[in-house]
Amino acid sequence: MELTAHEVWSRVLERAESAVTEQSFRTWLEGTGAVGVSDGELVVEGPSQFHIEWVEDKFGGLLRELVAAVVGRPIRVTFRAAQSAPSLSFPELDLNAPQSDPVLGVSTAIPDRRRSNLNERYTFDRYVVGGNNELAAAACRAVAEQPARMYNPLFLYGGVGLGKTHLMHAVGNRILDRDPHVRVAYVSSEQFTNALVTAIQEGQTADFRRRYRNMDVLLVDDIHFLEGKERTQEEFFHTFNALHDAQHQLVITSDRPPKDMPGIEERLVSRFEWGLVADIKPPDYETRMAILRKKAEYDRLTLDDDVIDFIARSCTASVRELEGAVIKLLAYSSLTHRDVDVALARTALQGMLRPPESTHRLTPKRIQNAVAREWGVSPEALTSKRRTRELTVPRQVAMYLIRDLLDEPLVRVGNLFNRDHSTVIHSVRKVESGLEADARLRHRVEHVRSLLTDGS
Ligand code: ADP
Ligand code: MG
């Protein structure tokens, strides 16, 4: 009997449904799917790394047995997060040519995966628009409706877990919904780099170029990854030009605005600014509530308003953090067989979250940590004696923000950094004049300030 991976997995899930509690099934197993077979193993995906690790850990044994029962013999099962799939930037399999896997005897074709390598869950429908991402979302919609007409490239930037990747996939999904023949590819900058390295090693650079330059729409995620990688930047520069000249759409994301990427060549930076640059900020309280409600709706979770409110007040940093809190809460509930309510949320999320009361409590340590993170240095380095330029600026900024936000006495601030108060005065002045003269510095300092003070 020849079963597709998809069919194998449906049967496995049918059987699993009666073997685990309903809550566990809905929370953990329902969201998984088998995407295909590679090298004789069945590849099973879940919506996130955390999710799939949990599935493997708790249900791996059961699922492998069920797979063996369905297929008729034991075979390898690999679990992975949906985002990393397929790890190649483009499907390498010829989807139109079904083959039989020698080990499995099941079809290796992946019939339900027509849309290049986009995550189908990342759509505009599932994306909540708030004041924090309004411009970015509107620009993405415009690009999805009329690729390469309005903003090319579209450059989105913002911190981790704020929805850049989601929006970018939404553009691709929308374009394919309208016309499945448009060639849309999503590639992370890391994949682009790896693919280039491999192409060079194997003398396949011409092929590499053709693949990328043939796209109608190229979505390039996390471009900051290319910082300092000159050869890859060179290659990307030519890809960019080829696509742009041919009036094909590029959408690019980064954790910072183009101007703020010192390791990226000037000619690329200036191209990034040719179209529209839009930022995404952390969501405010109302938007966090709306995101949680939408998540509950789509994932069919029963979460009362007071629980949603509790999570929205407790998790302020990013959407990923919000989602992580929901997963953790559900896991806790299914393991302890307790109903989901605020009391359970408080226990389950302890340690993961700042308690709501203290959201506003800003401490010097939090400021140091936030500045260190923004500049990519360790918090310890800020208080060390080292005087390299990499450390001087963030150290001065941290002193400035501690003075500005907490009004701490100069001597106390000095102590925090193992410096005397005259150094603090000098640092604060230095930052103040820097803020006037240097837009890039101003932007970064304001970014950190908004992260620290957005407590709503
Ligand atoms: P980034 O690429 O900026 O790090 P992602 O796009 O991976 O962030 O988003 C992290 C998670 O949060 C994803 O699961 C995504 O679906 C969800 N998410 C982010 N922003 C929103 C939003 N505005 N509405 C709904 N879900 C969102
Ligand atoms: Mg991302």
Side-chain angles (χ1 to χ4, degrees):
M1 180 175 46
E2 185 135 314
L3 294 175
T4 64
H6 182 73
E7 285 162 346
V8 170
W9 197 244
S10 318
R11 294 183 191 193
V12 167
L13 286 187
E14 253 167 49
R15 298 182 189 191
E17 194 165 3
S18 51
V20 304
T21 66
E22 192 198 332
Q23 176 79 291
S24 288
F25 185 81
R26 280 186 29 206
T27 310
W28 299 110
L29 298 180
E30 211 172 55
T32 58
V35 290
V37 176
S38 88
D39 292 339
E41 51 184 41
L42 184 71
V43 181
V44 175
E45 286 188 352
S48 69
Q49 192 61 32
F50 176 89
H51 188 116
I52 201 70
E53 277 173 15
W54 187 280
V55 167
E56 181 164 16
D57 193 37
K58 302 292 169 218
F59 309 108
L62 168 74
L63 293 171
R64 289 193 169 92
E65 277 175 28
L66 293 176
V67 170
V70 169
V71 177
R73 67 186 168 287
I75 61 155
R76 266 185 304 156
V77 182
T78 311
F79 295 90
R80 69 180 188 195
Q83 271 239 275
S84 64
S87 60
L88 299 161
S89 20
F90 304 102
E92 294 282 72
L93 291 171
D94 179 1
L95 301 189
N96 299 321
Q99 302 155 357
S100 246
D101 182 88
V103 184
L104 251 183
V106 302
S107 168
T108 52
I110 311 172
D112 47 353
R113 240 190 168 185
R114 69 180 168 87
R115 345 169 134 250
S116 57
N117 50 355
L118 296 173
N119 183 336
E120 298 191 21
R121 293 162 56 93
Y122 288 166
T123 58
F124 285 120
D125 275 355
R126 286 178 175 240
Y127 197 80
V128 174
V129 180
N132 60 313
N133 58 18
E134 229 169 349
L135 175 65
C140 283
R141 280 202 174 266
V143 162
E145 293 317 319
Q146 295 195 307
R149 279 288 196 68
M150 307 268 274
Y151 313 114
N152 201 16
L154 173 59
F155 190 100
L156 307 174
Y157 73 89
V160 176
L162 295 183
K164 302 181 294 297
T165 299
H166 184 136
L167 261 185
M168 168 177 250
H169 280 246
V171 170
N173 280 320
R174 175 80 190 107
I175 291 174
L176 287 176
D177 277 345
R178 270 211 326 275
D179 181 359
H181 303 294
V182 179
R183 288 160 303 176
V184 178
Y186 165 85
V187 63
S188 74
S189 299
E190 192 174 355
Q191 288 164 356
F192 186 87
T193 307
N194 294 342
L196 176 64
V197 171
T198 311
I200 293 172
Q201 280 167 355
E202 296 175 357
Q204 307 274 330
T205 47
D207 191 46
F208 172 87
R209 288 186 185 134
R210 200 166 336 107
R211 274 211 282 173
Y212 287 94
R213 294 178 197 178
N214 270 342
M215 290 297 143
D216 299 312
V217 178
L218 186 61
L219 311 168
V220 186
D221 211 357
D222 294 325
I223 200 81
H224 52 267
F225 182 82
L226 297 193
E227 278 187 327
K229 301 190 173 64
E230 283 153 29
R231 179 72 174 86
T232 316
Q233 286 184 35
E234 163 91 26
E235 195 60 43
F236 184 67
F237 176 73
H238 295 297
T239 305
F240 183 104
N241 290 341
L243 289 169
H244 197 272
D245 288 350
Q247 293 191 312
H248 293 176
Q249 178 73 46
L250 285 127
V251 183
I252 300 169
T253 72
S254 163
D255 66 354
R256 269 159 293 149
K259 279 216 157 17
D260 223 353
M261 297 191 291
I264 300 278
E265 298 174 39
E266 193 46 45
R267 56 182 187 168
L268 267 177
V269 168
S270 74
R271 274 167 177 72
F272 293 162
E273 291 171 330
W274 277 357
L276 180 76
V277 176
D279 68 335
I280 304 184
K281 293 202 171 60
D284 59 17
Y285 167 76
E286 284 75 18
T287 312
R288 296 198 295 272
M289 287 289 282
I291 290 171
L292 289 168
R293 289 211 174 96
K294 180 151 281 195
K295 183 164 177 57
E297 176 196 326
Y298 272 95
D299 294 351
R300 285 184 284 142
L301 310 169
T302 351
L303 291 177
D304 289 342
D305 264 3
D306 53 348
V307 173
I308 290 186
D309 171 79
F310 178 83
I311 301 173
R313 283 184 187 286
S314 313
C315 299
T316 56
S318 76
V319 183
R320 197 179 296 290
E321 188 186 82
L322 278 180
E323 294 190 331
V326 173
I327 292 179
K328 187 153 183 203
L329 175 58
L330 295 176
Y332 201 83
S333 149
S334 91
L335 291 174
T336 58
H337 305 290
R338 284 169 62 188
D339 289 337
V340 174
D341 57 17
V342 173
L344 188 78
R346 195 167 277 129
T347 325
L349 306 182
Q350 226 170 29
M352 173 172 182
L353 312 170
R354 271 166 267 129
E357 309 74 71
S358 73
T359 330
H360 288 283
R361 253 197 56 232
L362 213 48
T363 58
K365 190 78 211 148
R366 274 188 59 201
I367 296 177
Q368 287 173 328
N369 289 346
V371 172
R373 200 174 316 128
E374 168 68 23
W375 264 266
V377 298
S378 75
E380 294 71 39
L382 287 186
T383 58
S384 74
K385 283 281 169 210
R386 279 170 30 223
R387 300 182 54 168
T388 57
R389 215 187 110 66
E390 269 144 51
L391 293 174
T392 311
V393 174
R395 186 180 289 138
Q396 290 174 341
V397 168
M399 289 182 187
Y400 165 83
L401 281 175
I402 290 174
R403 278 288 287 173
D404 200 44
L405 291 170
L406 299 179
D407 221 9
E408 291 276 326
L410 290 167
V411 175
R412 182 111 43 93
V413 180
N415 287 341
L416 289 167
F417 291 85
N418 302 308
R419 304 289 197 281
D420 63 20
H421 75 283
S422 61
T423 309
V424 181
I425 296 176
H426 169 76
S427 299
V428 171
R429 289 212 182 114
K430 195 91 189 151
V431 175
E432 281 169 351
S433 58
L435 289 178
E436 277 175 31
D438 180 351
R440 194 191 292 192
L441 178 72
R442 189 160 60 235
H443 180 88
R444 292 183 89 169
V445 172
E446 286 322 310
H447 176 64
V448 177
R449 188 200 295 277
S450 70
L451 288 180
L452 287 165
T453 53
D454 172 71
S456 31

